[in-house]
Amino acid sequence: MAVTKSTSSQQKSPSPPPSPDPIPKPPSKSTTSNDQDSSSSHPPPKPSTPPPPSSKTDSTSQPVEISDSSEIPDFIDFSIFEQILELDEDDTHDFSKTMTDAFFDQAETTFDEMDTALLNKDLKKLSSLGHFLKGSSAALGLSKVQASCEKIQHYGLKRDEEASVDLTEEDSLSRIKALREQVKLDYDIAEKWLKNWYTANVTAASGDEEDS
């Protein structure tokens, strides 16, 4: 009977408790510090920006440059003069200068013929000469010379187009004589300005070619 109790007592002995789950280790301090240092030493790349547009322009598309606009006289239609300069192939302005020099020769001859026609009281000839010089001066943009020559053309026909009245022969000759002095003065000023412009610009262009 005693043996039986001993066996029963051994069978009912309790089992040992289960071992607890292992506690996870926190990240090491050195690893965290290294990650932060690496992040700070290598910042994220900045977004790329497109380069600014180039300010250089094509020289072939640039308009012809003239002297300071404040020095442009009021007796020249500068838009017409620029159109003539655009016909030049280079900065020597050979074409436009040849054209201008030819006008100077024609104008001097025309003024001499006007003086002869005035002495002969030849209104028809004066009208023709006024018409001729009006066209050639308009081609260069000499607006004042053009306007005066147009009046001479009409006065030679014994007509005042501005007042829309007919004129006598004496009145026509008197007006043409006074206008002949004025148109020659306007021409002389325009001639001097044009010659000075070509002297300054053609000389500058030649100097630039020698430097290059």
Tab-separated table of all heavy atoms in Angstrom, residues 145-170:
chain	number	residue	atom	x	y	z
A	145	VAL	N	14.266	118.615	-99.869
A	145	VAL	CA	14.609	118.885	-101.263
A	145	VAL	C	13.488	118.401	-102.175
A	145	VAL	O	13.090	119.080	-103.136
A	145	VAL	CB	15.944	118.213	-101.626
A	145	VAL	CG1	16.252	118.385	-103.114
A	145	VAL	CG2	17.076	118.788	-100.782
A	146	GLN	N	12.955	117.245	-101.869
A	146	GLN	CA	11.859	116.687	-102.664
A	146	GLN	C	10.641	117.607	-102.668
A	146	GLN	O	10.039	117.875	-103.720
A	146	GLN	CB	11.467	115.312	-102.108
A	146	GLN	CG	10.238	114.712	-102.770
A	146	GLN	CD	9.746	113.462	-102.034
A	146	GLN	OE1	10.397	112.991	-101.090
A	146	GLN	NE2	8.619	112.940	-102.447
A	147	ALA	N	10.263	118.119	-101.489
A	147	ALA	CA	9.079	118.967	-101.384
A	147	ALA	C	9.259	120.278	-102.147
A	147	ALA	O	8.332	120.751	-102.837
A	147	ALA	CB	8.773	119.252	-99.915
A	148	SER	N	10.446	120.871	-102.068
A	148	SER	CA	10.693	122.128	-102.769
A	148	SER	C	10.693	121.930	-104.282
A	148	SER	O	10.154	122.754	-105.039
A	148	SER	CB	12.027	122.729	-102.315
A	148	SER	OG	11.984	123.070	-100.947
A	149	CYS	N	11.274	120.825	-104.724
A	149	CYS	CA	11.309	120.544	-106.161
A	149	CYS	C	9.915	120.267	-106.716
A	149	CYS	O	9.619	120.592	-107.876
A	149	CYS	CB	12.235	119.369	-106.443
A	149	CYS	SG	13.982	119.758	-106.221
A	150	GLU	N	9.065	119.682	-105.898
A	150	GLU	CA	7.685	119.447	-106.346
A	150	GLU	C	6.956	120.773	-106.563
A	150	GLU	O	6.170	120.918	-107.512
A	150	GLU	CB	6.946	118.595	-105.319
A	150	GLU	CG	5.552	118.205	-105.758
A	150	GLU	CD	4.883	117.243	-104.797
A	150	GLU	OE1	5.482	116.948	-103.742
A	150	GLU	OE2	3.760	116.785	-105.101
A	151	LYS	N	7.231	121.742	-105.701
A	151	LYS	CA	6.621	123.066	-105.881
A	151	LYS	C	7.151	123.728	-107.154
A	151	LYS	O	6.383	124.368	-107.903
A	151	LYS	CB	6.913	123.942	-104.670
A	151	LYS	CG	6.165	123.534	-103.413
A	151	LYS	CD	6.482	124.479	-102.259
A	151	LYS	CE	5.723	124.082	-101.006
A	151	LYS	NZ	6.012	125.011	-99.870
A	152	ILE	N	8.468	123.595	-107.409
A	152	ILE	CA	9.037	124.160	-108.633
A	152	ILE	C	8.375	123.540	-109.857
A	152	ILE	O	8.081	124.226	-110.853
A	152	ILE	CB	10.557	123.944	-108.658
A	152	ILE	CG1	11.237	124.801	-107.580
A	152	ILE	CG2	11.134	124.277	-110.033
A	152	ILE	CD1	12.732	124.572	-107.458
A	153	GLN	N	8.132	122.242	-109.790
A	153	GLN	CA	7.465	121.549	-110.894
A	153	GLN	C	6.090	122.165	-111.164
A	153	GLN	O	5.731	122.417	-112.320
A	153	GLN	CB	7.310	120.066	-110.561
A	153	GLN	CG	6.533	119.278	-111.609
A	153	GLN	CD	6.261	117.838	-111.162
A	153	GLN	OE1	6.777	117.390	-110.139
A	153	GLN	NE2	5.454	117.141	-111.939
A	154	HIS	N	5.336	122.429	-110.106
A	154	HIS	CA	3.992	122.987	-110.269
A	154	HIS	C	4.033	124.464	-110.674
A	154	HIS	O	3.231	124.913	-111.516
A	154	HIS	CB	3.197	122.826	-108.970
A	154	HIS	CG	2.909	121.397	-108.634
A	154	HIS	ND1	2.728	120.949	-107.347
A	154	HIS	CD2	2.768	120.298	-109.419
A	154	HIS	CE1	2.494	119.657	-107.336
A	154	HIS	NE2	2.513	119.233	-108.596
A	155	TYR	N	4.963	125.214	-110.090
A	155	TYR	CA	5.068	126.629	-110.456
A	155	TYR	C	5.444	126.775	-111.922
A	155	TYR	O	5.025	127.740	-112.601
A	155	TYR	CB	6.113	127.337	-109.592
A	155	TYR	CG	5.736	127.463	-108.128
A	155	TYR	CD1	6.704	127.717	-107.150
A	155	TYR	CD2	4.404	127.332	-107.708
A	155	TYR	CE1	6.366	127.839	-105.811
A	155	TYR	CE2	4.058	127.439	-106.370
A	155	TYR	CZ	5.047	127.686	-105.420
A	155	TYR	OH	4.705	127.802	-104.096
A	156	GLY	N	6.257	125.839	-112.409
A	156	GLY	CA	6.606	125.882	-113.835
A	156	GLY	C	5.393	125.673	-114.724
A	156	GLY	O	5.390	126.102	-115.890
A	157	LEU	N	4.383	125.056	-114.203
A	157	LEU	CA	3.119	124.877	-114.923
A	157	LEU	C	2.127	125.988	-114.600
A	157	LEU	O	0.942	125.886	-114.944
A	157	LEU	CB	2.507	123.517	-114.570
A	157	LEU	CG	3.350	122.287	-114.915
A	157	LEU	CD1	2.691	121.014	-114.398
A	157	LEU	CD2	3.597	122.202	-116.419
A	158	LYS	N	2.646	127.023	-113.913
A	158	LYS	CA	1.843	128.185	-113.496
A	158	LYS	C	0.649	127.746	-112.644
A	158	LYS	O	-0.486	128.151	-112.873
A	158	LYS	CB	1.374	128.999	-114.724
A	158	LYS	CG	2.524	129.611	-115.502
A	158	LYS	CD	2.034	130.572	-116.569
A	158	LYS	CE	1.340	129.846	-117.710
A	158	LYS	NZ	1.025	130.787	-118.837
A	159	ARG	N	1.010	126.935	-111.641
A	159	ARG	CA	-0.047	126.399	-110.771
A	159	ARG	C	0.471	126.294	-109.340
A	159	ARG	O	1.603	125.824	-109.099
A	159	ARG	CB	-0.474	125.005	-111.261
A	159	ARG	CG	-1.539	124.328	-110.429
A	159	ARG	CD	-2.882	124.952	-110.623
A	159	ARG	NE	-3.919	124.273	-109.841
A	159	ARG	CZ	-5.172	124.731	-109.692
A	159	ARG	NH1	-5.525	125.866	-110.282
A	159	ARG	NH2	-6.047	124.058	-108.974
A	160	ASP	N	-0.359	126.758	-108.392
A	160	ASP	CA	-0.086	126.592	-106.971
A	160	ASP	C	-1.046	125.516	-106.464
A	160	ASP	O	-2.238	125.789	-106.228
A	160	ASP	CB	-0.297	127.905	-106.217
A	160	ASP	CG	0.065	127.797	-104.736
A	160	ASP	OD1	0.180	126.662	-104.229
A	160	ASP	OD2	0.210	128.849	-104.085
A	161	GLU	N	-0.527	124.302	-106.323
A	161	GLU	CA	-1.393	123.186	-105.951
A	161	GLU	C	-1.865	123.281	-104.495
A	161	GLU	O	-2.965	122.813	-104.175
A	161	GLU	CB	-0.645	121.858	-106.146
A	161	GLU	CG	-0.410	121.496	-107.599
A	161	GLU	CD	-1.713	121.222	-108.349
A	161	GLU	OE1	-2.723	120.900	-107.687
A	161	GLU	OE2	-1.720	121.336	-109.581
A	162	GLU	N	-1.080	123.875	-103.630
A	162	GLU	CA	-1.498	123.992	-102.226
A	162	GLU	C	-2.693	124.922	-102.081
A	162	GLU	O	-3.609	124.652	-101.294
A	162	GLU	CB	-0.335	124.510	-101.374
A	162	GLU	CG	0.817	123.507	-101.249
A	162	GLU	CD	1.919	124.043	-100.352
A	162	GLU	OE1	1.868	125.238	-99.972
A	162	GLU	OE2	2.839	123.271	-100.031
A	163	ALA	N	-2.676	126.021	-102.828
A	163	ALA	CA	-3.803	126.966	-102.778
A	163	ALA	C	-4.856	126.675	-103.841
A	163	ALA	O	-5.931	127.302	-103.839
A	163	ALA	CB	-3.292	128.393	-102.944
A	164	SER	N	-4.529	125.735	-104.747
A	164	SER	CA	-5.447	125.367	-105.839
A	164	SER	C	-5.817	126.594	-106.697
A	164	SER	O	-7.005	126.837	-106.996
A	164	SER	CB	-6.707	124.691	-105.290
A	164	SER	OG	-6.384	123.496	-104.621
A	165	VAL	N	-4.781	127.367	-107.058
A	165	VAL	CA	-5.019	128.561	-107.896
A	165	VAL	C	-3.999	128.570	-109.024
A	165	VAL	O	-2.905	128.012	-108.906
A	165	VAL	CB	-4.898	129.870	-107.075
A	165	VAL	CG1	-6.007	129.940	-106.017
A	165	VAL	CG2	-3.531	129.992	-106.438
A	166	ASP	N	-4.372	129.227	-110.133
A	166	ASP	CA	-3.457	129.404	-111.249
A	166	ASP	C	-2.592	130.637	-110.997
A	166	ASP	O	-2.985	131.572	-110.284
A	166	ASP	CB	-4.241	129.567	-112.556
A	166	ASP	CG	-4.980	128.288	-112.935
A	166	ASP	OD1	-4.489	127.200	-112.559
A	166	ASP	OD2	-6.043	128.388	-113.581
A	167	LEU	N	-1.396	130.650	-111.590
A	167	LEU	CA	-0.453	131.731	-111.411
A	167	LEU	C	-0.134	132.390	-112.735
A	167	LEU	O	-0.231	131.763	-113.800
A	167	LEU	CB	0.845	131.206	-110.772
A	167	LEU	CG	0.730	130.479	-109.440
A	167	LEU	CD1	2.086	129.869	-109.053
A	167	LEU	CD2	0.236	131.408	-108.338
A	168	THR	N	0.264	133.639	-112.665
A	168	THR	CA	0.743	134.322	-113.865
A	168	THR	C	2.196	133.916	-114.127
A	168	THR	O	2.860	133.330	-113.263
A	168	THR	CB	0.665	135.848	-113.686
A	168	THR	OG1	1.551	136.236	-112.627
A	168	THR	CG2	-0.755	136.282	-113.366
A	169	GLU	N	2.701	134.238	-115.295
A	169	GLU	CA	4.083	133.900	-115.618
A	169	GLU	C	5.048	134.613	-114.691
A	169	GLU	O	6.007	134.006	-114.199
A	169	GLU	CB	4.372	134.273	-117.070
A	169	GLU	CG	5.795	133.940	-117.503
A	169	GLU	CD	6.060	134.256	-118.967
A	169	GLU	OE1	5.069	134.461	-119.706
A	169	GLU	OE2	7.232	134.300	-119.371
A	170	GLU	N	4.814	135.872	-114.429
A	170	GLU	CA	5.698	136.627	-113.557
A	170	GLU	C	5.670	136.082	-112.127
A	170	GLU	O	6.722	135.974	-111.472
A	170	GLU	CB	5.298	138.110	-113.559
A	170	GLU	CG	5.587	138.819	-114.866
A	170	GLU	CD	5.257	140.300	-114.794
A	170	GLU	OE1	4.830	140.760	-113.705
A	170	GLU	OE2	5.424	141.004	-115.802
